[in-house]
Amino acid sequence: MVRVLAVCTGNVCRSPYLQVVLGSALEQAAPGGFEVTSTGTGALAGAPADPGTRVELERRGLSAHGIRARQMAAAELEASDLVLTAERSHVEQVLELSPRMLKRTFTLPEFAALLEQLSTSGPVESLRPGAAPRRTEQRWRRLPEVLSARRARLGEPAPEIADPYRRGQEAFRSMAAEIDDFVRRIVGWERSMRAEPGGGGFTQP
């Protein structure tokens, strides 16, 4: 199973939303292949997802029931195959806690942009297509290193996902729409890799 960790600040707005939406979408694309959890760099430990996040999830037929904010820990980072953050400052905090996570940590927008770029550059030998559970796991464990080597090709820094905390429901709606778009790109790539032959093309479901 591929372990993905979503990171924001308080772990009540952006990262729980990403946890639920990405987890649900990957489960549909690759049943049983992924585990998506979330944490915070300055977590409101024990708090449930913010009401604004819960409203946006409910609009999509999803729920944050049972999710409670947790403080980021080195052991959890290092047990993750991929860490996706809301902001570049979160990447810096991840690396302060665990420098060995350099090649496995990206902002969510950066990761989606690198995947899209990868999809237009042709197949990568180490990222073999296929839907078998073992093939999926191998592909995603190699993927962060492949994308990390391409960071310089992005040019301008990828955008960040603004924190909607205490900014009203419109801010949560904007956050949710941004994350939904990045999730579609990520899951579209995985679906294309599962549809042999010709894996590596970029599609949006």
Side-chain angles (χ1 to χ4, degrees), residues 28-163:
Q28 291 180 42
F34 294 82
E35 176 185 65
V36 184
T37 56
S38 66
T39 189
T41 59
L44 302 175
D50 189 282
T53 288
R54 297 202 301 269
V55 165
E56 294 307 318
L57 288 171
E58 287 164 8
R59 290 185 201 274
R60 293 152 176 80
L62 299 169
S63 171
H65 179 72
I67 294 177
R68 293 291 183 272
R70 298 181 302 111
Q71 180 62 33
M72 186 171 68
E76 185 176 23
L77 290 170
E78 291 167 11
S80 302
D81 299 299
L82 173 66
V83 175
L84 296 174
T85 76
E87 301 173 20
R88 289 184 289 278
S89 65
H90 299 140
V91 173
E92 293 169 3
Q93 290 173 81
V94 166
L95 299 181
E96 284 176 11
L97 197 57
S98 181
R100 70 178 65 184
M101 294 301 295
L102 176 62
K103 293 183 179 179
R104 286 183 273 165
T105 305
F106 306 80
T107 67
L108 175 65
E110 176 188 36
F111 187 78
L114 285 166
L115 263 189
E116 189 165 11
Q117 186 184 84
L118 178 69
S119 299
T120 61
S121 66
V124 175
E125 179 60 31
S126 63
L127 302 177
R128 300 176 63 195
R134 186 172 180 181
R135 183 64 59 79
T136 301
E137 196 169 308
Q138 290 173 340
R139 181 165 59 244
W140 278 80
R141 286 190 172 152
R142 291 168 179 163
L143 179 61
E145 186 169 359
V146 170
L147 295 185
S148 180
R150 295 168 177 251
R151 289 186 209 253
R153 302 185 191 183
L154 281 182
E156 292 294 320
E160 299 177 300
I161 299 168
D163 191 351

